Amino acid sequence: MSGYVGILVSDPCLQNQFTQVELRSLKSHFTSMRRENGKLTLGDLASRISRLKVVGENLSDQETTDFIAALYPNFNDEVDFESFLKVYLKLHAHASSRTGNPAKNSSAFLKAATTTLLYTISESEKASYVAHINNYLAQDGFLNKYLPIDPSSNDLFEIVKDGVLLCKLINVAVPGTIDERAINTKRLLNPWERNENHTLCLNSAKAIGCTVVNIGTQDFIEGRRHLVLGLISQIIKIQLLADLNLKKTPQLVELVDDSKDVEELMSLPPEKILLRWMNFQLNKSSYKKTVTNFSTDVKDAEAYAHLLNVLAPEHSNPSTLAVKDPLQRAKLVLDHADRMGCKRYLTAKDIVDGSPNLNLAFVAHVFQHRNGLSTQTKQISFLETLPDDAQVSREERVFRFWINSLGNSTYIDNVFEDLRNGWILLETLDKVSPGIVNWKVANKPPIKLPFKKVENCNQVVKIGKQLKFSLVNIAGNDIVQGNKKLILAYLWQLMRFNILQLLKNLRSHSHGKEITDVDILRWANTKVSNSGSQSRMDSFKDKSLSDGIFFLELLSAVQPRSVNWSLVTEGVTDEQKKMNATYIISIARKLGCSIFLLPEDIIEVNQKMILTLTASIMYWFLKQPVEEKPAATSDSENGSQLETLSNSTTDDSASESSVE
């Protein structure tokens, strides 16, 4: 990681202030500001740096200008990247002090669930996660020589260095995410193969909903313990909460009274559903408090004692509620859980200490083992009245995970609910097109007044029109009202704009000109044709793509060693198509493509997802240094393709490959 930082920044003091991800994002902002005039002076910077959220939210333009003028009297001096970073840090500290939250370092710029300022780990959490891994991966043929891991040692951080364990753990959490044929599982892996496994792991983790903004492959190789545990914690949490939805556990409908409440329940994040379930069961007991968190509200273990008495009265112990000492009560609660057959990954001390991660895991385990819900036909019939649109559900999932992968300030659980105040959409727009949001007129959550939400969403729509999105009859209030069709339409255009901008920003290839869907289609066909294959795709909705062969040939063309053709099927039956589709997605992620589609999207030839897959492969290939590109790709071949890209003026709407 430090090597990459050094490429951008030579000053060691600055290197210590930023992660590589923060530097990359700040570099993007700096380049965007400088591009407007070809250079950037201190005078320009004073007027433009307010586009950065931490500055624009807290300082007026005049305050920013005055602050910079006090530091640097000559506004005609040109600003290089390191000077920009120094100004940013000083403004950041000044802006943060204005809000009463002095910044410890620059990490307010990008937040992630896996980042921490103090690089310490919880030994109790580590022991819990190791026990979980030992339990769920004990039968794995490759890992059994390393398991069980000793929780009191640091062996976990050595074992993850080859990437295999984390890939396998992802598949435990969400089965089928990674095609295990794509994992490098030789006994001794070279650095390239280890890096491929880590890349596959990180891209797959993003695709199941983990936040990995500040984690790179080098962090695994170096065994950075807080980052490794942070990712493992997220993966295990996703596994434990997987059943907390109406699709997996329709009996949850018992928690609500009518179909309107069912829709509200469906929009809740899994942790909230788990809390609602816990309180639903506690209402059957004499416990009168409402549990609102998995920390302070459960520290005395009383709620747990009542919960387990309701779920498994046959194993109850009268002493549990009689004892006065919370630690002793917590021990009796865990004894009760043991008699129920619940595996426990926390100690009595973890309960009393209020460890939120471990307490959530404990309650989730109890729910999985015995949820105490009935299967009354009358209640479950509510579900039959609700729309079941698999396509909408799949698209919502793709856009949700994509937005979460960008490292916004808030993790979203449902795009139709969590985007309604406009704030996360503004943050996403700022990530995709740095500086485009006017933060001076944006309203920061929590937002109580409805018209403030409309103001945010009106700016979202205005920016969309500025970016030439098709937004006929869409107003900010449609987003506030949670109009599913219009929200999905906006998000698709935003996601598509993002990948086209990434391609355009590879200026050595596109010469800064717009990239179109037609360019992407032509590039893919040219790559496959030049590799000697007869395959081609006529458009992004070409039904022949369902067998996966074209994409395997494209992946092989951009990286010949990536595809093991002995594992490829003919793609005739549904099962063969699915095998090829899962292999394609894992190979693309292993190369470095950040993609969020499912195998079904390839099998059914989902036009939008096929475009993003092709564009992601193209982006990965074009950003590779020339010396790292496959030997089969000659300079003249690259030149002709890139000339085609830069000279293309075909309008998207004129091509069948355009996605509307």
Side-chain angles (χ1 to χ4, degrees):
M1 183 190 295
S2 58
Y4 179 88
V5 171
I7 293 171
L8 290 179
V9 179
S10 58
D11 185 337
C13 293
L14 285 174
Q15 289 180 23
N16 293 332
Q17 292 289 332
F18 299 96
T19 68
Q20 59 175 321
V21 179
E22 289 170 338
L23 269 179
R24 203 156 41 220
S25 192
L26 283 166
K27 180 72 172 179
S28 175
H29 280 276
F30 172 74
T31 303
S32 176
M33 293 178 196
R34 192 172 60 178
R35 190 179 294 147
E36 294 176 25
N37 291 341
K39 67 175 184 177
L40 187 68
T41 65
L42 281 166
D44 299 325
L45 184 62
S47 62
R48 295 175 192 168
I49 202 166
S50 292
R51 298 173 188 173
L52 294 178
K53 198 152 71 75
V54 73
V55 178
E57 281 178 5
N58 301 304
L59 298 174
S60 68
D61 288 343
Q62 190 59 50
E63 287 171 328
T64 301
T65 301
D66 292 345
F67 185 79
I68 293 177
L71 294 172
Y72 308 99
N74 190 352
F75 264 32
N76 292 320
D77 286 351
E78 192 167 343
V79 179
D80 61 14
F81 184 50
E82 291 197 4
S83 301
F84 166 76
L85 291 177
K86 290 172 183 175
V87 173
Y88 168 75
L89 282 173
K90 289 174 181 176
L91 271 171
H92 179 226
H94 180 58
S96 299
S97 65
R98 289 280 301 274
T99 64
N101 297 308
K104 293 182 181 178
N105 69 2
S106 68
S107 64
F109 182 76
L110 286 170
K111 298 183 182 73
T114 48
T115 347
T116 177
L117 293 176
L118 299 173
Y119 296 152
T120 58
I121 64 168
S122 161
E123 288 295 327
S124 188
E125 285 194 21
K126 183 186 76 172
S128 173
Y129 301 152
V130 165
H132 185 94
I133 289 167
N134 286 340
N135 180 41
Y136 281 93
L137 291 172
Q139 304 305 314
D140 185 86
F142 179 81
L143 293 173
N144 58 16
K145 57 181 172 286
Y146 303 112
L147 302 180
I149 301 169
D150 179 359
S152 66
S153 72
N154 285 321
D155 291 352
L156 172 66
F157 306 112
E158 290 301 315
I159 294 170
V160 300
K161 287 184 178 181
D162 67 6
V164 177
L165 185 146
L166 290 174
C167 286
K168 301 268 190 179
L169 191 61
I170 286 171
N171 271 355
V172 169
V174 184
T177 298
I178 296 176
D179 188 326
E180 297 204 0
R181 296 174 296 173
I183 304 173
N184 298 320
T185 54
K186 291 191 315 190
R187 186 169 184 81
L188 288 174
L189 299 178
N190 61 42
W192 179 272
E193 291 165 331
R194 283 201 302 271
N195 190 69
E196 284 185 328
N197 281 349
H198 295 315
T199 304
L200 173 59
C201 164
L202 286 174
N203 283 320
S204 300
K206 282 193 285 187
I208 66 169
C210 295
T211 303
V212 296
V213 172
N214 281 348
I215 305 179
T217 57
Q218 192 67 24
D219 296 314
F220 295 126
I221 294 166
E222 295 174 2
R224 292 177 184 264
R225 301 189 302 165
H226 64 290
L227 294 176
V228 170
L229 274 191
L231 181 58
I232 289 174
S233 169
Q234 291 186 75
I235 295 170
I236 291 176
K237 180 179 175 183
I238 287 168
Q239 176 194 343
L240 294 178
L241 299 178
D243 291 342
L244 280 149
N245 59 73
L246 288 171
K247 187 175 181 181
K248 292 279 187 70
T249 312
Q251 296 88 348
L252 283 166
V253 77
E254 190 179 347
L255 306 185
V256 298
D257 296 322
D258 56 40
S259 57
K260 185 178 179 181
D261 290 336
V262 171
E263 290 199 60
E264 180 198 346
L265 185 69
M266 291 173 70
S267 69
L268 290 176
E271 303 97 292
K272 298 290 187 186
I273 296 177
L274 190 62
L275 282 170
R276 183 175 286 199
W277 166 81
M278 186 174 178
N279 286 310
F280 174 80
Q281 300 296 355
L282 287 173
N283 284 338
K284 300 174 184 177
S285 72
S286 58
Y287 191 74
K288 299 306 177 188
K289 299 176 186 175
T290 298
V291 177
T292 62
N293 59 63
F294 293 107
S295 182
T296 54
D297 286 1
V298 295
K299 287 174 72 169
D300 60 8
E302 282 188 33
Y304 286 157
H306 285 284
L307 176 67
L308 298 189
N309 282 346
V310 169
L311 296 175
E314 70 276 19
H315 297 302
S316 63
N317 180 347
S319 302
T320 307
L321 288 169
V323 298
K324 301 300 182 185
D325 178 25
L327 185 63
Q328 185 60 32
R329 186 184 303 116
K331 289 178 181 177
L332 293 172
V333 162
L334 292 178
D335 289 343
H336 191 163
D338 282 344
R339 291 193 293 275
M340 288 171 60
C342 289
K343 286 190 176 296
R344 50 159 152 161
Y345 299 123
L346 83 172
T347 64
K349 186 175 184 300
D350 296 326
I351 293 176
V352 174
D353 287 346
S355 170
N357 287 341
L358 297 184
N359 277 292
L360 182 146
F362 175 65
V363 179
H365 272 293
V366 171
F367 176 86
Q368 286 184 341
H369 189 76
R370 188 179 297 196
N371 61 40
L373 298 172
S374 68
T375 55
Q376 293 180 32
T377 310
K378 180 182 176 183
Q379 288 173 317
I380 294 182
S381 65
F382 271 144
L383 298 176
E384 297 170 4
T385 66
L386 297 172
D388 181 24
D389 191 330
Q391 186 62 37
V392 167
S393 177
R394 286 221 305 264
E395 288 193 15
E396 187 276 336
R397 173 191 174 279
V398 166
F399 297 138
R400 171 164 36 98
F401 289 163
W402 170 64
I403 290 171
N404 284 332
S405 76
L406 299 175
N408 291 318
S409 62
T410 304
Y411 186 93
I412 64 170
D413 293 286
N414 184 302
V415 299
F416 304 127
E417 293 297 322
D418 299 344
L419 301 183
R420 289 169 63 171
N421 65 18
W423 184 260
I424 296 296
L425 280 171
L426 289 172
E427 287 192 325
T428 303
L429 284 161
D430 194 56
K431 291 282 194 327
V432 169
S433 184
I436 202 165
V437 175
N438 183 354
W439 293 109
K440 293 282 187 290
V441 298
N443 302 296
K444 189 175 183 178
I447 306 172
K448 295 182 179 179
L449 298 174
F451 78 90
K452 294 288 186 182
K453 298 178 184 179
V454 174
E455 285 178 352
N456 279 355
C457 292
N458 281 341
Q459 187 179 178
V460 168
V461 173
K462 180 182 177 183
I463 293 171
K465 291 177 178 176
Q466 187 179 331
L467 298 176
K468 297 183 170 58
F469 293 179
S470 175
L471 298 174
V472 181
N473 297 325
I474 296 183
N477 195 50
D478 292 314
I479 299 173
V480 176
Q481 296 300 319
N483 186 310
K484 292 184 179 182
K485 183 178 179 182
L486 297 183
I487 289 173
L488 290 178
Y490 189 98
L491 290 176
W492 159 241
Q493 293 180 85
L494 181 55
M495 189 181 195
R496 176 175 172 271
F497 174 82
N498 181 50
I499 188 65
L500 294 180
Q501 280 299 107
L502 289 172
L503 288 167
K504 177 187 174 183
N505 289 340
L506 294 171
R507 297 180 65 85
S508 60
H509 301 306
S510 70
H511 305 293
K513 295 188 178 180
E514 299 298 330
I515 302 295
T516 69
D517 298 359
V518 181
D519 294 325
I520 298 168
L521 182 72
R522 186 182 293 122
W523 173 84
N525 280 325
T526 302
K527 288 302 301 177
V528 172
S529 174
N530 288 348
S531 71
S533 171
Q534 300 300 311
S535 297
R536 64 173 286 106
M537 69 171 157
D538 294 328
S539 72
F540 295 116
K541 55 184 179 183
D542 185 339
K543 291 301 180 185
S544 69
L545 298 173
S546 67
D547 63 11
I549 301 299
F550 178 85
F551 286 109
L552 288 163
E553 291 183 335
L554 177 60
L555 289 165
S556 183
V558 300
Q559 177 51 270
R561 62 183 292 276
S562 65
V563 178
N564 181 346
W565 285 99
S566 68
L567 302 176
V568 176
T569 74
E570 294 178 353
V572 176
T573 67
D574 289 345
E575 182 58 31
Q576 289 177 336
K577 288 179 179 179
K578 185 164 187 178
M579 289 179 70
N580 283 353
T582 56
Y583 192 49
I584 289 164
I585 293 170
S586 290
I587 291 298
R589 287 176 180 153
K590 184 177 174 180
L591 284 181
C593 299
S594 182
I595 50 177
F596 300 90
L597 76 169
L598 293 170
E600 291 81 358
D601 292 314
I602 297 176
I603 297 166
E604 297 168 14
V605 193
N606 180 324
Q607 189 178 1
K608 296 173 183 176
M609 296 302 108
I610 293 292
L611 169 60
T612 60
L613 172 62
T614 312
S616 296
I617 296 170
M618 179 181 178
Y619 177 67
W620 175 84
F621 175 76
L622 293 181
K623 73 176 181 179
Q624 299 308 303
V626 173
E627 64 272 13
E628 291 183 19
K629 287 184 179 174
T633 304
S634 68
D635 291 340
S636 60
E637 177 190 326
N638 273 331
S640 62
Q641 287 183 52
L642 303 177
E643 193 63 33
T644 299
L645 285 180
S646 62
N647 290 335
S648 173
T649 56
T650 309
D651 185 79
D652 289 354
S653 61
S655 169
E656 185 184 27
S657 66
S658 175
V659 180
E660 296 174 357

